Amino acid sequence: MSVITTTNVDVYYGKFRAVTGVTLDINENEITALIGPSGCGKSTLLRSLNRMNDLVDGAYVTGSITFNGEDIYGPDVDAIEVRRRIGMVFQKPNPFPKSIYDNIAYGPRVIGMKPSNMDDLVEEALTRAALWDEVKDKLKQSAFGLSGGQQQRLCIARTISVKPDVILMDEPCSALDPIATMRIEDLMGELKKDYTIVIVTHNMQQAARVADRTAFFTALPDETTGNRTGVLVEYDTTAKIFEDPSDQRTEDYISGRFG
Amino acid sequence: MAGDKKNKKDKKDNKSKKKKNKQKKIRTLIVTKSVRGRAQGGDNSAKSIVFLGVLWLSLFLAFAFLVTLIVTTLLDGWTRLDGTLITEFPASRPERAGARPAILGSMMVIGFTALFTLPLGIAAGVHLEEFSDRNKWYNRIVELNVQNLAAVPSIVYGLLTLGALTAMGVDNKNIVAGGAMALSLLILPVVIIVTREALRSVPEEIRHGSLALGATPLQTLFRSTLPSAVPGIATGSILALSRALGEAAPLLILGGLVFVSFDPNGLLSGYTTLPIQIFNWTGRPQEEFHTLAAAASILLLGLLLAMNAVAIVIRNRYQKRW
């Protein structure tokens, strides 16, 4: 069942069109990977899925993006509410300058959740992010004391704490070493039982390892202006994309012939 | 014979080598010690040593002036740095005179200045940095003006306040409210600028992290951005307030320099401040009053150093690593 559907989506930054004509369905409890060379608009598309692109001056979206059948760019829709339901993990771990505990409790507090026991909620989020055992004795210490990989798992726990339906991940492992990357990938496998995950990655092996479905993007130069615009080339199951792609460009990219 | 010569030559070579080595060692010592941790083992050419020498000289000069200032003031005033200075009112006989109303006046004026300036300045800084649209021409004009206002001489703010109070029909302008108003105007641009700088140094990722959790922009401001910027804002504001504490010119314009023999007791009360009191005493012919002025200067210096120390403590304590 599809949770997010984009239909003929273009994303612009002012006059610059970053990505065009994207139509894809993101299925529930699956990991969907967006791959492609730099500048192909995959991060831009990801950020428009929870309206984080609204924060960029001059950014706007045409076409439709629906979440559970509802247009998230509709006139009555509050971007804040969209972000509560569709969480995001960023490229660089970005814990708040607060204690580990307060990092997790931040989300539930701001959105007005009234958990009967905040301690339990914090423990649950940290456990689900596979971080509890490492931090349970230092919850009051600054989150900056954690390693990069731990910080990123903390950010995932923070995202989980507000119980979103979808988690968007923007190259979550690009700042991490292979061991930390492996732990995050294992974690994603666990999390997809309860969440729908969309991940942007530069690492094709990562997409092949974790994703159920993969969308391949590339950038095409405009004949008249020379600006490069991202397009969706092919979207299919990961096995199909990596073993038997139907588009030559996908095959060239997968096999390392360009990008 | 030939071997002997060779030996001698070797010795000589060795000697000059040693000398060279020693010179090199000294150079390396100077360079590495002085730029420790930054460019270790780096450049040790003659040029860089001259440059470093100039840097050291500048530091030495600045420091020497400060030390001279403090030492001479201390020497001049230490005999009168006693209880009388703090507890007594000004008097016509120098041995009985004190700076009590000036001390209280300074504290009161600075207190009200802080009360007026901090909310206004921080709010303005937050708006300019976090909410205003920088592409709009009017916001850019405001920005430019704030920058320029920070450089306006303090006496101009005294004149402005004088004009404003006259327009409001206030006859007695030597009141705490007037002084606090003039000093507030003086440091408001500075507070706005330090607020903006502090907010700008909070990484964008912190805001995005908060917004991505479904926090509203206001929640993000009050729970994330602003708390992260507090150390910077506090440090800058304290430094601005200590500048206001040392100001005399705008207060003189407002009719300071009166002989105050009572404690200030509110916004509409008459007052004097330490700089005005010092100015007053240095103008007297008797040598004893000059000693008294020096003693009051020490007091003022002590207050300023204490405020700056608080600023440094706040900065070190809450310094964030991103």
Side-chain angles (χ1 to χ4, degrees):
Chain A
M1 202 202 120
S2 93
V3 180
I4 296 178
T5 303
T6 75
T7 315
N8 213 10
V9 165
D10 288 15
V11 186
Y12 293 82
Y13 295 115
K15 287 193 180 113
F16 172 67
R17 187 173 63 184
V19 60
T20 185
V22 179
T23 299
L24 53 78
D25 286 328
I26 288 158
N27 290 343
E28 195 170 6
N29 298 100
E30 280 188 3
I31 298 178
T32 305
L34 313 181
I35 62 169
S38 298
C40 69
K42 54 196 190 300
S43 280
T44 293
L45 181 73
L46 189 81
R47 282 162 177 270
S48 58
L49 296 183
N50 73 339
R51 297 191 58 172
M52 282 301 281
N53 254 3
D54 291 13
L55 304 174
V56 181
D57 274 349
Y60 66 97
V61 172
T62 63
S64 98
I65 300 178
T66 62
F67 170 61
N68 288 337
E70 196 185 347
D71 185 357
I72 63 166
Y73 284 89
D76 305 328
V77 176
D78 184 3
I80 309 291
E81 185 56 33
V82 172
R83 293 184 204 131
R84 282 178 192 180
R85 306 285 299 278
I86 307 176
M88 188 160 211
V89 176
F90 296 83
Q91 185 170 359
K92 208 176 118 205
N94 60 342
F96 300 127
K98 299 172 186 292
S99 71
I100 293 167
Y101 185 98
D102 286 338
N103 259 277
I104 306 295
Y106 184 93
R109 281 179 189 148
V110 295
I111 69 168
M113 275 165 78
K114 296 263 186 301
S116 51
N117 192 337
M118 184 65 89
D119 293 355
D120 288 348
L121 198 149
V122 170
E123 180 175 347
E124 190 199 329
L126 284 169
T127 307
R128 304 206 64 163
L131 191 60
W132 175 250
D133 290 334
E134 291 158 60
V135 302
K136 64 182 173 195
D137 299 322
K138 46 179 180 181
L139 291 174
K140 296 290 170 205
Q141 288 175 27
S142 165
F144 289 134
L146 300 174
S147 71
Q150 288 174 323
Q151 288 188 11
Q152 194 62 302
R153 274 179 283 145
L154 181 74
C155 292
I156 293 174
R158 187 173 75 184
T159 306
I160 296 170
S161 70
V162 294
K163 306 196 186 316
D165 298 324
V166 181
I167 303 174
L168 308 177
M169 297 187 176
D170 191 359
E171 298 183 41
C173 303
S174 63
L176 306 180
D177 65 61
I179 308 282
T181 299
M182 200 180 71
R183 300 202 62 165
I184 303 260
E185 287 178 8
D186 290 346
L187 176 59
M188 283 160 58
E190 280 297 310
L191 289 175
K192 78 170 182 179
K193 291 173 193 157
D194 300 292
Y195 302 95
T196 305
I197 297 174
V198 185
I199 176 175
V200 162
T201 177
H202 261 121
N203 181 338
M204 278 183 286
Q205 284 73 37
Q206 184 169 57
R209 283 193 297 264
V210 301
D212 298 295
R213 292 176 155 267
T214 299
F216 171 67
F217 290 77
T218 194
L220 295 180
D222 189 298
E223 293 87 5
T224 51
T225 62
N227 287 334
R228 290 163 69 85
T229 302
V231 290
L232 173 61
V233 175
E234 194 173 351
Y235 178 47
D236 214 319
T237 61
T238 299
K240 177 86 165 56
I241 292 278
F242 280 89
E243 282 153 28
D244 181 25
S246 43
D247 195 292
Q248 184 61 40
R249 288 171 295 180
T250 315
E251 190 172 340
D252 288 351
Y253 185 73
I254 301 294
S255 56
R257 249 169 269 164
F258 92 101
Chain B
M1 200 53 183
D4 220 31
K5 240 182 185 173
K6 206 184 168 212
N7 255 345
K8 252 186 187 168
K9 208 184 169 196
D10 268 5
K11 255 188 184 167
K12 216 177 169 185
D13 261 11
N14 260 342
K15 232 183 185 174
S16 73
K17 237 186 202 168
K18 257 188 188 166
K19 211 175 167 188
K20 259 189 187 162
N21 265 340
K22 208 176 172 189
Q23 272 181 346
K24 207 176 168 190
K25 235 184 187 170
I26 293 172
R27 280 184 177 185
T28 332
L29 198 75
I30 296 173
V31 175
T32 52
K33 282 285 178 202
S34 45
V35 287
R36 186 161 31 108
R38 300 236 162 173
Q40 254 186 19
D43 196 3
N44 58 1
S45 63
K47 245 190 199 166
S48 67
I49 288 171
V50 169
F51 180 62
L52 270 169
V54 172
L55 291 186
W56 277 110
L57 189 70
S58 319
L59 183 67
F60 173 77
L61 279 178
F63 199 67
F65 273 116
L66 185 67
V67 169
T68 315
L69 183 76
I70 293 177
V71 168
T72 50
T73 319
L74 270 172
L75 284 178
D76 285 348
W78 74 275
T79 45
R80 275 310 316 273
L81 203 60
D82 49 24
T84 326
L85 182 72
I86 299 167
T87 54
E88 290 305 315
F89 292 97
S92 48
R93 292 179 50 193
E95 63 276 11
R96 273 205 325 220
R100 172 188 169 132
I103 296 167
L104 289 173
S106 267
M107 285 165 128
M108 195 167 232
V109 169
I110 288 304
F112 279 113
T113 303
L115 206 65
F116 296 160
T117 319
L118 296 184
L120 267 178
I122 293 172
V126 163
H127 178 265
L128 282 175
E129 193 58 32
E130 299 286 310
F131 295 103
S132 74
D133 181 354
R134 235 158 282 170
N135 298 319
K136 294 278 189 297
W137 62 271
Y138 46 82
N139 284 325
R140 285 213 297 273
I141 287 186
V142 170
E143 270 188 49
L144 191 69
N145 274 312
V146 170
Q147 304 266 348
N148 287 334
L149 283 175
V152 167
S154 60
I155 196 147
V156 175
Y157 289 106
L159 289 168
L160 176 66
T161 312
L162 188 68
L165 288 175
T166 311
M168 287 191 283
V170 180
D171 284 334
N172 177 14
K173 296 175 187 73
N174 186 33
I175 51 175
V176 171
M181 186 173 154
L183 294 180
S184 294
L185 289 172
L186 173 68
I187 65 168
L188 190 59
V190 181
V191 173
I192 294 174
I193 289 170
V194 299
T195 303
R196 297 191 57 187
E197 293 292 335
L199 286 170
R200 206 171 302 156
S201 72
V202 177
E204 202 61 12
E205 287 93 28
I206 299 288
R207 296 178 184 84
H208 285 175
S210 172
L211 291 167
L213 286 169
T216 63
L218 274 184
Q219 284 174 328
T220 302
L221 174 72
F222 283 115
R223 290 171 185 250
S224 253
T225 326
L226 208 48
S228 307
V230 158
I233 297 174
T235 321
S237 301
I238 291 174
L239 293 180
L241 285 171
S242 57
R243 181 189 165 193
L245 183 66
E247 276 294 341
L251 305 180
L252 288 173
I253 284 276
L254 290 171
L257 199 54
V258 288
F259 191 85
V260 176
S261 52
F262 52 86
D263 291 341
N265 60 3
L267 271 174
L268 299 178
S269 146
Y271 72 101
T272 187
T273 65
L274 275 169
I276 298 178
Q277 188 68 66
I278 293 165
F279 180 69
N280 184 339
W281 278 336
T282 47
R284 301 282 191 95
Q286 299 98 318
E287 193 58 42
E288 291 87 344
F289 277 117
H290 297 173
T291 309
L292 208 52
S297 299
I298 297 167
L299 209 63
L300 184 60
L301 261 175
L303 262 174
L304 289 173
L305 289 179
M307 281 174 78
N308 292 2
V310 169
I312 290 168
V313 167
I314 289 178
R315 195 178 57 210
N316 288 348
R317 186 165 171 167
Y318 295 100
Q319 212 159 38
K320 296 288 192 309
R321 298 182 295 130
W322 305 108

